[in-house]
Amino acid sequence: MIRENLEKIKKRLALAAAKRGIPVTDITLIAVTKTVPPDAIREAWDLGVTDFGENRVQEALPKIKTFPRGPRWHFIGHLQTNKVKQVLPVFDLIHSVDSLKLARAIQKEGEKLNKRVNVLVQVNIGAEESKFGFSYEEVLPALEEMAGFSALKILGLMGIAPFFPDPEHTRPYFRRLYRLFNDIKVAGAEMKYLSMGMTNDFEVAIEEGANMVRLGTALFGPRDS
Ligand SMILES: *Cc1c(COP(=O)(O)O)cnc(C)c1O
């Protein structure tokens, strides 16, 4: 099942990359493993998936422990400041820096560990009450402030589009985030990763400039919870 799903995903990634005119190898597939048991994660790993995403600290830590080394782990959910300490040693990239308060907490903890923490800044691209992230107006001032945080390595932006049954409707949201990403890059800041696109809308996201997609359902099937 996972094998077949992965084959299908790879074909779809290749098509979307071709539409964008980039090599498919430019795109990082992040397998989202929330609610997925370690056996299934291992199966994906054995099939060559190298990057995994989790959104809850409590669920993620015991699972990650069963993998001595190897996979890269991405933290993709809302992170409470009191959990930062647990997250920094195990995750390779935090996609969800959604407030200055969190950025400060990561800075503080990173300094203690003498570690530069790889992060993406989350933008609330649909301006949805239910979602986390900086508003478009807040992003640049926040980036300016975070530029002084020596323990933070800001590598890009992350966004979650509002859900539409027809993914075509997500296109303007992704396009706008890419424009911001590119503007910041042109201005000279390091912007390496643009994390956008999930099962329902990843092809549109890639066509609009994503180079990290976060796929759960497409790989592991529907979640019960
Ligand atoms: C769950 C989740 C995903 C994956 O969602 P699917 O629709 O199952 O692909 C991606 N990003 C975030 C932040 C998530 O919480």
Side-chain angles (χ1 to χ4, degrees):
M1 183 66 172
I2 294 176
R3 179 187 294 273
E4 288 80 5
N5 289 347
L6 183 61
E7 285 312 312
K8 281 186 209 145
I9 289 169
K10 281 185 177 164
K11 287 200 184 105
R12 293 169 67 184
L13 289 174
L15 274 174
K19 268 199 185 170
R20 177 79 190 173
I22 57 168
V24 70
T25 48
D26 282 6
I27 299 163
T28 304
L29 163 65
I30 298 169
V32 175
T33 50
K34 60 190 185 202
T35 77
V36 175
D39 281 354
I41 304 176
R42 194 165 300 278
E43 190 178 338
W45 165 255
D46 289 339
L47 290 165
V49 177
T50 54
D51 290 73
F52 296 92
E54 285 278 344
N55 71 335
R56 283 192 209 94
V57 181
Q58 242 57 308
E59 181 193 335
L61 293 181
K63 283 201 279 185
I64 293 175
K65 269 202 199 122
T66 69
F67 289 82
R69 224 175 285 121
R72 277 186 295 269
W73 292 96
H74 299 253
F75 193 81
I76 61 172
H78 175 59
L79 177 56
Q80 288 166 303
T81 52
N82 62 357
K83 303 259 169 69
V84 166
K85 207 189 183 101
Q86 295 167 278
V87 160
L88 293 203
V90 276
F91 284 92
D92 298 282
L93 179 63
I94 300 172
H95 290 228
S96 42
V97 172
D98 54 16
S99 70
L100 280 169
K101 183 174 172 234
L102 175 59
R104 278 190 208 101
I106 296 172
Q107 163 67 15
K108 213 169 129 200
E109 201 53 40
E111 270 186 330
K112 267 193 223 160
L113 298 173
N114 201 10
K115 175 177 179 162
R116 272 197 101 187
V117 185
N118 296 324
V119 302
L120 307 181
V121 170
Q122 182 173 353
V123 184
N124 189 351
I125 62 177
E128 293 174 278
E129 283 287 344
S130 60
K131 296 215 175 98
F132 291 97
F134 292 94
S135 69
Y136 273 101
E137 294 69 39
E138 293 166 335
V139 175
L140 292 180
L143 281 172
E144 259 175 46
E145 180 151 359
M146 285 186 252
F149 292 7
S150 56
L152 250 68
K153 192 164 171 60
I154 299 166
L155 292 174
L157 304 177
M158 184 271 239
I160 302 171
F163 178 82
F164 295 102
D166 177 0
E168 192 52 39
H169 291 135
T170 60
R171 193 177 295 279
Y173 295 90
F174 292 140
R175 187 169 290 179
R176 187 175 178 197
L177 187 60
Y178 175 76
R179 205 181 300 140
L180 175 66
F181 174 81
N182 200 47
D183 286 349
I184 297 168
K185 186 151 77 175
V186 168
E190 183 174 7
M191 282 279 131
K192 197 170 172 191
Y193 299 122
L194 182 56
S195 168
M196 55 183 199
M198 303 168 39
T199 290
N200 188 54
D201 53 23
F202 71 95
E203 286 137 313
V204 178
I206 290 168
E207 287 167 29
E208 295 301 330
N211 59 13
M212 278 187 163
V213 292
R214 309 177 308 268
L215 305 185
T217 311
L219 186 60
F220 297 108
R223 289 178 293 273
D224 316 321
S225 50

